[in-house]
Amino acid sequence: MTLRRFPSIALAAAALALAAPVHAANTLIPAGQRIAVAGSVLTVQPDAEWNRLGVRPGRYAERWTRDGDQLDALTFYGGIADGKTLFREVNRKERPLPRVAATMLVTDIPILLENSYRVARGIAAMTIERVEPARFAGSDGVHFTYSYIRLDESLHRRGEAFGAIIRGRLYLITYEAPALYYYERSAPTARRVVDSARV
Amino acid sequence: MRRLIAAALIVSTATAASDPVLPPYVPAYQPTDVDERGAWMIADEEERRLRDAPEVIRDPALNAFVRDVLCRTVGADRCAAIRLYIVRIPAFNATTYPNGMMTVWTGALLRLHSEAELGAMLGHEFGHFELRHTVASFRHRRSGNALLAWASILGGGFALQVATIGGFYRFDRAQEKAADLLGLRYLAASSYPASAAADIWVRAMAETDASAIGRYRKPDQRYTAGFFATHPTDLTRATYLRAAAAAIGVHGADEAARYRAAVAPWLPRLLADQIKRNDFGGSEYLLAQLAADGWTTPLLFARGELYRERGNPRDLVSAAGFYRDAIGRGDAPPEAYRGLGLALLRGNQAEPGKAALRDYLRRKPDAGDAPLISTLIAS
């Protein structure tokens, strides 16, 4: 019983999962080969095997995992242009996502990710922790860490991201996993993928 | 038959709304049959999760304040049955469970303006609890589902199925109205004016319209509840609550100043959560409502953040103005200098922007983002 009608975010998420194309196949990413990600000019060279999920979070995004995307997820956002969103909008009319702007400063990148997560996934408990300058894909960018808990879950998840605005487009790689055990397990491998990134 | 029951429920509560004597209350009620025990078990499980959930605000002062308003509204014996949880979700809502657990979302605390309005909201929720709506709803749905199943086997026809499905939602709307009107009777028996309940819904409508306009859409306020609507429209609620409050008459004080004082320590965080919702029109409307008696430093700072985040060239100019106004008041947080610097930098005013960022680092040298801000100053 509630005070007022509130759109169920869980239902929307379920609808999104159902809307995913059934034919989308997952692919093995072999170690040691340079590969273009997220349909963009961003390339990486992993030193271990990863699985590329057939279901992409958005038109300019791609997700890799080692143990399954609930246990570790490496997400690439490749060259998101001015006026585009990080990932697919669930409800453009009622809950539009924040958009990338070509004039964004590096300090705006963590805010964009946080606000997109809050709007799209209904996450209330998300904290950006450490924000520091970093080289990313040959440019000056930002490295930040964060933690969050999904709606109706009590599992603590950690994440870290490297991003930069290169020629007016946003390039971003995030690595996320449950804080307990899984985060530390795959973080070094994920960081080596990020280190190999080139635009 | 169902329509008759629903209509009878509405009529009985509508006439009762003007009756200041509350129905008798049974403390320490225990679930009586299998349906009710099941509903309580699910609610107990949810409460166990919520007890340790990170999104619950534990601040003893804020919790004591909200509980105090509940007790003043429904009376000491009734409020003893309720466990209150303030949940950090920036939308306007509150929920009740059959076992006496009640949640208040922080978005509601930001949108309400007085103790009387908070009392109206909590009274509505307590109404659901006292009328045992959850278990009634469950039984109603189960019998409706059985009817639907038989209708499909025996060829009951499309009309019967539509009528049954429509009945689910009409029943929900009738419950909402019953809870609204019982909530009003608590207010009538308390020290708060009953007119507060309608004001909430008038502002809710205005905020919805402002959100739509901010997203370049036409406001599409619903004036009649749709077939599948679980709640009456905001306009319907404002109208019947206003009429029922007029029948009760004017009494009591709404205690707006006490409310503002109690929420003040949390206001910057509530505003920050609201601004992260990417709802420019709605946030701007809320800020204007909160600034009815003048713009305070937290409100100016929040408005600067709101404009800077939308980030059109004209917004960056406005944002810089709001940060400067906040700084001019003398009690601005160091983050106001940060916002000013970033707004100027993004608006192609490099030197004044860097000067403001240097001011920020001077005031908060150990800031988490200090290394990154330093690179912006150096670039």
mmCIF file of all heavy atoms in Angstrom, chain B residues 312-349:
data_model
loop_
_atom_site.group_PDB
_atom_site.id
_atom_site.type_symbol
_atom_site.label_atom_id
_atom_site.label_comp_id
_atom_site.label_asym_id
_atom_site.label_seq_id
_atom_site.Cartn_x
_atom_site.Cartn_y
_atom_site.Cartn_z
ATOM 1 N N ASN B 312 23.876 23.985 -20.622
ATOM 2 C CA ASN B 312 23.805 24.831 -21.811
ATOM 3 C C ASN B 312 24.617 26.091 -21.530
ATOM 4 O O ASN B 312 24.751 26.489 -20.374
ATOM 5 C CB ASN B 312 22.358 25.219 -22.126
ATOM 6 C CG ASN B 312 21.526 24.029 -22.557
ATOM 7 O OD1 ASN B 312 22.005 23.172 -23.291
ATOM 8 N ND2 ASN B 312 20.301 23.969 -22.085
ATOM 9 N N PRO B 313 25.143 26.771 -22.565
ATOM 10 C CA PRO B 313 25.935 27.980 -22.295
ATOM 11 C C PRO B 313 25.213 28.978 -21.394
ATOM 12 O O PRO B 313 25.799 29.533 -20.469
ATOM 13 C CB PRO B 313 26.166 28.538 -23.700
ATOM 14 C CG PRO B 313 26.176 27.337 -24.586
ATOM 15 C CD PRO B 313 25.170 26.391 -23.986
ATOM 16 N N ARG B 314 23.889 29.185 -21.636
ATOM 17 C CA ARG B 314 23.145 30.130 -20.780
ATOM 18 C C ARG B 314 23.030 29.604 -19.356
ATOM 19 O O ARG B 314 23.014 30.357 -18.384
ATOM 20 C CB ARG B 314 21.757 30.380 -21.371
ATOM 21 C CG ARG B 314 20.907 29.133 -21.456
ATOM 22 C CD ARG B 314 19.642 29.355 -22.285
ATOM 23 N NE ARG B 314 19.194 28.108 -22.867
ATOM 24 C CZ ARG B 314 18.247 27.323 -22.321
ATOM 25 N NH1 ARG B 314 17.672 27.657 -21.202
ATOM 26 N NH2 ARG B 314 17.900 26.201 -22.922
ATOM 27 N N ASP B 315 22.949 28.246 -19.198
ATOM 28 C CA ASP B 315 22.846 27.661 -17.856
ATOM 29 C C ASP B 315 24.115 27.910 -17.062
ATOM 30 O O ASP B 315 24.069 28.132 -15.846
ATOM 31 C CB ASP B 315 22.611 26.146 -17.954
ATOM 32 C CG ASP B 315 21.265 25.814 -18.567
ATOM 33 O OD1 ASP B 315 20.327 26.608 -18.379
ATOM 34 O OD2 ASP B 315 21.174 24.778 -19.243
ATOM 35 N N LEU B 316 25.274 27.860 -17.772
ATOM 36 C CA LEU B 316 26.547 28.042 -17.071
ATOM 37 C C LEU B 316 26.659 29.463 -16.533
ATOM 38 O O LEU B 316 27.178 29.689 -15.439
ATOM 39 C CB LEU B 316 27.703 27.721 -18.019
ATOM 40 C CG LEU B 316 27.732 26.249 -18.476
ATOM 41 C CD1 LEU B 316 28.759 26.047 -19.576
ATOM 42 C CD2 LEU B 316 28.027 25.330 -17.305
ATOM 43 N N VAL B 317 26.131 30.427 -17.305
ATOM 44 C CA VAL B 317 26.129 31.820 -16.826
ATOM 45 C C VAL B 317 25.237 31.940 -15.592
ATOM 46 O O VAL B 317 25.620 32.521 -14.575
ATOM 47 C CB VAL B 317 25.640 32.767 -17.949
ATOM 48 C CG1 VAL B 317 25.509 34.184 -17.426
ATOM 49 C CG2 VAL B 317 26.579 32.702 -19.145
ATOM 50 N N SER B 318 24.025 31.348 -15.674
ATOM 51 C CA SER B 318 23.104 31.408 -14.528
ATOM 52 C C SER B 318 23.725 30.719 -13.318
ATOM 53 O O SER B 318 23.659 31.232 -12.202
ATOM 54 C CB SER B 318 21.781 30.718 -14.859
ATOM 55 O OG SER B 318 21.235 31.245 -16.030
ATOM 56 N N ALA B 319 24.329 29.530 -13.546
ATOM 57 C CA ALA B 319 24.913 28.761 -12.442
ATOM 58 C C ALA B 319 25.965 29.599 -11.723
ATOM 59 O O ALA B 319 25.963 29.684 -10.489
ATOM 60 C CB ALA B 319 25.524 27.464 -12.972
ATOM 61 N N ALA B 320 26.857 30.244 -12.505
ATOM 62 C CA ALA B 320 27.901 31.072 -11.885
ATOM 63 C C ALA B 320 27.266 32.157 -11.017
ATOM 64 O O ALA B 320 27.739 32.446 -9.910
ATOM 65 C CB ALA B 320 28.794 31.680 -12.966
ATOM 66 N N GLY B 321 26.162 32.738 -11.494
ATOM 67 C CA GLY B 321 25.451 33.768 -10.720
ATOM 68 C C GLY B 321 24.934 33.217 -9.398
ATOM 69 O O GLY B 321 25.091 33.849 -8.346
ATOM 70 N N PHE B 322 24.340 32.012 -9.439
ATOM 71 C CA PHE B 322 23.789 31.433 -8.195
ATOM 72 C C PHE B 322 24.905 31.106 -7.201
ATOM 73 O O PHE B 322 24.760 31.333 -6.003
ATOM 74 C CB PHE B 322 22.977 30.172 -8.502
ATOM 75 C CG PHE B 322 21.794 30.429 -9.403
ATOM 76 C CD1 PHE B 322 21.495 29.572 -10.450
ATOM 77 C CD2 PHE B 322 20.988 31.540 -9.210
ATOM 78 C CE1 PHE B 322 20.416 29.812 -11.279
ATOM 79 C CE2 PHE B 322 19.907 31.792 -10.038
ATOM 80 C CZ PHE B 322 19.621 30.931 -11.084
ATOM 81 N N TYR B 323 26.029 30.557 -7.711
ATOM 82 C CA TYR B 323 27.161 30.270 -6.808
ATOM 83 C C TYR B 323 27.667 31.569 -6.174
ATOM 84 O O TYR B 323 27.971 31.607 -4.977
ATOM 85 C CB TYR B 323 28.303 29.598 -7.567
ATOM 86 C CG TYR B 323 28.039 28.169 -7.997
ATOM 87 C CD1 TYR B 323 28.141 27.803 -9.328
ATOM 88 C CD2 TYR B 323 27.715 27.189 -7.064
ATOM 89 C CE1 TYR B 323 27.918 26.494 -9.738
ATOM 90 C CE2 TYR B 323 27.483 25.884 -7.470
ATOM 91 C CZ TYR B 323 27.590 25.538 -8.809
ATOM 92 O OH TYR B 323 27.366 24.254 -9.196
ATOM 93 N N ARG B 324 27.760 32.631 -6.992
ATOM 94 C CA ARG B 324 28.251 33.905 -6.455
ATOM 95 C C ARG B 324 27.300 34.433 -5.392
ATOM 96 O O ARG B 324 27.736 34.954 -4.357
ATOM 97 C CB ARG B 324 28.413 34.930 -7.594
ATOM 98 C CG ARG B 324 29.628 34.672 -8.460
ATOM 99 C CD ARG B 324 30.062 35.956 -9.192
ATOM 100 N NE ARG B 324 31.253 35.693 -10.013
ATOM 101 C CZ ARG B 324 31.211 35.464 -11.333
ATOM 102 N NH1 ARG B 324 30.047 35.496 -11.975
ATOM 103 N NH2 ARG B 324 32.312 35.227 -12.003
ATOM 104 N N ASP B 325 25.976 34.296 -5.648
ATOM 105 C CA ASP B 325 24.996 34.729 -4.637
ATOM 106 C C ASP B 325 25.178 33.941 -3.343
ATOM 107 O O ASP B 325 25.123 34.506 -2.245
ATOM 108 C CB ASP B 325 23.568 34.518 -5.160
ATOM 109 C CG ASP B 325 23.218 35.500 -6.285
ATOM 110 O OD1 ASP B 325 24.008 36.447 -6.489
ATOM 111 O OD2 ASP B 325 22.185 35.294 -6.952
ATOM 112 N N ALA B 326 25.397 32.622 -3.488
ATOM 113 C CA ALA B 326 25.582 31.782 -2.297
ATOM 114 C C ALA B 326 26.838 32.214 -1.542
ATOM 115 O O ALA B 326 26.824 32.360 -0.320
ATOM 116 C CB ALA B 326 25.676 30.315 -2.699
ATOM 117 N N ILE B 327 27.933 32.449 -2.293
ATOM 118 C CA ILE B 327 29.195 32.850 -1.668
ATOM 119 C C ILE B 327 29.030 34.212 -0.987
ATOM 120 O O ILE B 327 29.522 34.436 0.122
ATOM 121 C CB ILE B 327 30.325 32.884 -2.719
ATOM 122 C CG1 ILE B 327 30.662 31.457 -3.148
ATOM 123 C CG2 ILE B 327 31.564 33.598 -2.178
ATOM 124 C CD1 ILE B 327 31.499 31.357 -4.414
ATOM 125 N N GLY B 328 28.280 35.103 -1.630
ATOM 126 C CA GLY B 328 28.057 36.448 -1.090
ATOM 127 C C GLY B 328 27.346 36.431 0.251
ATOM 128 O O GLY B 328 27.431 37.393 1.015
ATOM 129 N N ARG B 329 26.626 35.357 0.554
ATOM 130 C CA ARG B 329 25.900 35.292 1.827
ATOM 131 C C ARG B 329 26.820 34.926 2.982
ATOM 132 O O ARG B 329 26.401 34.994 4.141
ATOM 133 C CB ARG B 329 24.760 34.277 1.730
ATOM 134 C CG ARG B 329 23.665 34.723 0.781
ATOM 135 C CD ARG B 329 22.647 33.623 0.570
ATOM 136 N NE ARG B 329 22.022 33.196 1.823
ATOM 137 C CZ ARG B 329 20.958 33.768 2.356
ATOM 138 N NH1 ARG B 329 20.388 34.792 1.740
ATOM 139 N NH2 ARG B 329 20.458 33.339 3.489
ATOM 140 N N GLY B 330 28.056 34.481 2.663
ATOM 141 C CA GLY B 330 29.059 34.325 3.722
ATOM 142 C C GLY B 330 29.119 32.956 4.376
ATOM 143 O O GLY B 330 30.077 32.644 5.068
ATOM 144 N N ASP B 331 28.095 32.103 4.172
ATOM 145 C CA ASP B 331 28.135 30.795 4.840
ATOM 146 C C ASP B 331 28.081 29.656 3.818
ATOM 147 O O ASP B 331 27.554 28.576 4.094
ATOM 148 C CB ASP B 331 26.988 30.655 5.848
ATOM 149 C CG ASP B 331 25.627 30.868 5.187
ATOM 150 O OD1 ASP B 331 25.593 31.367 4.044
ATOM 151 O OD2 ASP B 331 24.607 30.531 5.822
ATOM 152 N N ALA B 332 28.636 29.913 2.623
ATOM 153 C CA ALA B 332 28.589 28.888 1.575
ATOM 154 C C ALA B 332 29.616 27.800 1.856
ATOM 155 O O ALA B 332 30.690 28.073 2.400
ATOM 156 C CB ALA B 332 28.854 29.521 0.221
ATOM 157 N N PRO B 333 29.329 26.543 1.473
ATOM 158 C CA PRO B 333 30.321 25.479 1.624
ATOM 159 C C PRO B 333 31.445 25.673 0.598
ATOM 160 O O PRO B 333 31.236 26.354 -0.413
ATOM 161 C CB PRO B 333 29.522 24.212 1.322
ATOM 162 C CG PRO B 333 28.402 24.656 0.445
ATOM 163 C CD PRO B 333 28.080 26.058 0.861
ATOM 164 N N PRO B 334 32.631 25.068 0.829
ATOM 165 C CA PRO B 334 33.737 25.208 -0.139
ATOM 166 C C PRO B 334 33.318 24.761 -1.540
ATOM 167 O O PRO B 334 33.815 25.274 -2.538
ATOM 168 C CB PRO B 334 34.817 24.284 0.419
ATOM 169 C CG PRO B 334 34.488 24.096 1.859
ATOM 170 C CD PRO B 334 33.016 24.267 1.991
ATOM 171 N N GLU B 335 32.365 23.818 -1.606
ATOM 172 C CA GLU B 335 31.934 23.296 -2.906
ATOM 173 C C GLU B 335 31.308 24.378 -3.780
ATOM 174 O O GLU B 335 31.219 24.209 -4.997
ATOM 175 C CB GLU B 335 30.946 22.137 -2.718
ATOM 176 C CG GLU B 335 31.583 20.825 -2.292
ATOM 177 C CD GLU B 335 32.022 20.815 -0.834
ATOM 178 O OE1 GLU B 335 31.555 21.689 -0.055
ATOM 179 O OE2 GLU B 335 32.844 19.959 -0.464
ATOM 180 N N ALA B 336 30.852 25.488 -3.184
ATOM 181 C CA ALA B 336 30.297 26.581 -3.992
ATOM 182 C C ALA B 336 31.400 27.183 -4.864
ATOM 183 O O ALA B 336 31.160 27.551 -6.019
ATOM 184 C CB ALA B 336 29.676 27.643 -3.104
ATOM 185 N N TYR B 337 32.639 27.295 -4.319
ATOM 186 C CA TYR B 337 33.771 27.796 -5.113
ATOM 187 C C TYR B 337 34.114 26.804 -6.215
ATOM 188 O O TYR B 337 34.453 27.194 -7.333
ATOM 189 C CB TYR B 337 34.990 28.033 -4.220
ATOM 190 C CG TYR B 337 34.795 29.167 -3.243
ATOM 191 C CD1 TYR B 337 34.269 28.948 -1.983
ATOM 192 C CD2 TYR B 337 35.144 30.474 -3.602
ATOM 193 C CE1 TYR B 337 34.063 29.990 -1.101
ATOM 194 C CE2 TYR B 337 34.946 31.530 -2.722
ATOM 195 C CZ TYR B 337 34.406 31.280 -1.471
ATOM 196 O OH TYR B 337 34.203 32.310 -0.611
ATOM 197 N N ARG B 338 34.015 25.504 -5.890
ATOM 198 C CA ARG B 338 34.282 24.470 -6.884
ATOM 199 C C ARG B 338 33.283 24.595 -8.045
ATOM 200 O O ARG B 338 33.678 24.615 -9.220
ATOM 201 C CB ARG B 338 34.145 23.094 -6.215
ATOM 202 C CG ARG B 338 34.294 21.921 -7.125
ATOM 203 C CD ARG B 338 34.035 20.639 -6.316
ATOM 204 N NE ARG B 338 34.288 19.458 -7.109
ATOM 205 C CZ ARG B 338 33.402 18.900 -7.908
ATOM 206 N NH1 ARG B 338 32.201 19.417 -8.023
ATOM 207 N NH2 ARG B 338 33.710 17.817 -8.597
ATOM 208 N N GLY B 339 31.991 24.705 -7.681
ATOM 209 C CA GLY B 339 30.955 24.817 -8.710
ATOM 210 C C GLY B 339 31.169 26.060 -9.570
ATOM 211 O O GLY B 339 31.073 26.007 -10.798
ATOM 212 N N LEU B 340 31.488 27.179 -8.896
ATOM 213 C CA LEU B 340 31.712 28.423 -9.631
ATOM 214 C C LEU B 340 32.866 28.257 -10.619
ATOM 215 O O LEU B 340 32.756 28.618 -11.800
ATOM 216 C CB LEU B 340 32.010 29.558 -8.641
ATOM 217 C CG LEU B 340 32.383 30.913 -9.243
ATOM 218 C CD1 LEU B 340 31.226 31.461 -10.071
ATOM 219 C CD2 LEU B 340 32.761 31.913 -8.150
ATOM 220 N N GLY B 341 33.970 27.677 -10.124
ATOM 221 C CA GLY B 341 35.143 27.498 -10.981
ATOM 222 C C GLY B 341 34.838 26.614 -12.180
ATOM 223 O O GLY B 341 35.184 26.950 -13.314
ATOM 224 N N LEU B 342 34.139 25.492 -11.937
ATOM 225 C CA LEU B 342 33.856 24.564 -13.035
ATOM 226 C C LEU B 342 32.868 25.182 -14.028
ATOM 227 O O LEU B 342 33.004 24.990 -15.242
ATOM 228 C CB LEU B 342 33.316 23.241 -12.482
ATOM 229 C CG LEU B 342 34.310 22.435 -11.631
ATOM 230 C CD1 LEU B 342 33.643 21.213 -11.024
ATOM 231 C CD2 LEU B 342 35.522 22.018 -12.466
ATOM 232 N N ALA B 343 31.886 25.935 -13.520
ATOM 233 C CA ALA B 343 30.915 26.579 -14.420
ATOM 234 C C ALA B 343 31.633 27.593 -15.315
ATOM 235 O O ALA B 343 31.383 27.663 -16.523
ATOM 236 C CB ALA B 343 29.813 27.251 -13.617
ATOM 237 N N LEU B 344 32.550 28.391 -14.719
ATOM 238 C CA LEU B 344 33.275 29.398 -15.507
ATOM 239 C C LEU B 344 34.203 28.721 -16.513
ATOM 240 O O LEU B 344 34.279 29.124 -17.682
ATOM 241 C CB LEU B 344 34.084 30.315 -14.575
ATOM 242 C CG LEU B 344 33.249 31.241 -13.681
ATOM 243 C CD1 LEU B 344 34.136 31.947 -12.665
ATOM 244 C CD2 LEU B 344 32.489 32.263 -14.513
ATOM 245 N N LEU B 345 34.888 27.664 -16.051
ATOM 246 C CA LEU B 345 35.826 26.960 -16.925
ATOM 247 C C LEU B 345 35.105 26.378 -18.132
ATOM 248 O O LEU B 345 35.563 26.492 -19.269
ATOM 249 C CB LEU B 345 36.477 25.828 -16.120
ATOM 250 C CG LEU B 345 37.967 25.556 -16.319
ATOM 251 C CD1 LEU B 345 38.765 26.814 -16.131
ATOM 252 C CD2 LEU B 345 38.425 24.472 -15.353
ATOM 253 N N ARG B 346 33.935 25.783 -17.868
ATOM 254 C CA ARG B 346 33.170 25.177 -18.968
ATOM 255 C C ARG B 346 32.573 26.264 -19.864
ATOM 256 O O ARG B 346 32.314 26.025 -21.034
ATOM 257 C CB ARG B 346 32.062 24.304 -18.371
ATOM 258 C CG ARG B 346 31.781 23.111 -19.233
ATOM 259 C CD ARG B 346 30.791 22.193 -18.572
ATOM 260 N NE ARG B 346 29.962 21.574 -19.592
ATOM 261 C CZ ARG B 346 29.005 20.721 -19.350
ATOM 262 N NH1 ARG B 346 28.728 20.378 -18.111
ATOM 263 N NH2 ARG B 346 28.294 20.201 -20.329
ATOM 264 N N GLY B 347 32.365 27.447 -19.302
ATOM 265 C CA GLY B 347 31.840 28.563 -20.090
ATOM 266 C C GLY B 347 32.949 29.385 -20.737
ATOM 267 O O GLY B 347 32.729 30.557 -21.065
ATOM 268 N N ASN B 348 34.150 28.783 -20.891
ATOM 269 C CA ASN B 348 35.280 29.429 -21.581
ATOM 270 C C ASN B 348 35.816 30.662 -20.867
ATOM 271 O O ASN B 348 36.371 31.549 -21.500
ATOM 272 C CB ASN B 348 34.903 29.811 -23.021
ATOM 273 C CG ASN B 348 34.966 28.592 -23.924
ATOM 274 O OD1 ASN B 348 35.712 27.653 -23.632
ATOM 275 N ND2 ASN B 348 34.172 28.599 -24.975
ATOM 276 N N GLN B 349 35.633 30.751 -19.556
ATOM 277 C CA GLN B 349 36.253 31.848 -18.799
ATOM 278 C C GLN B 349 37.355 31.237 -17.948
ATOM 279 O O GLN B 349 37.197 31.036 -16.738
ATOM 280 C CB GLN B 349 35.219 32.548 -17.927
ATOM 281 C CG GLN B 349 34.103 33.197 -18.729
ATOM 282 C CD GLN B 349 33.243 34.054 -17.844
ATOM 283 O OE1 GLN B 349 33.747 34.931 -17.137
ATOM 284 N NE2 GLN B 349 31.949 33.821 -17.854
#
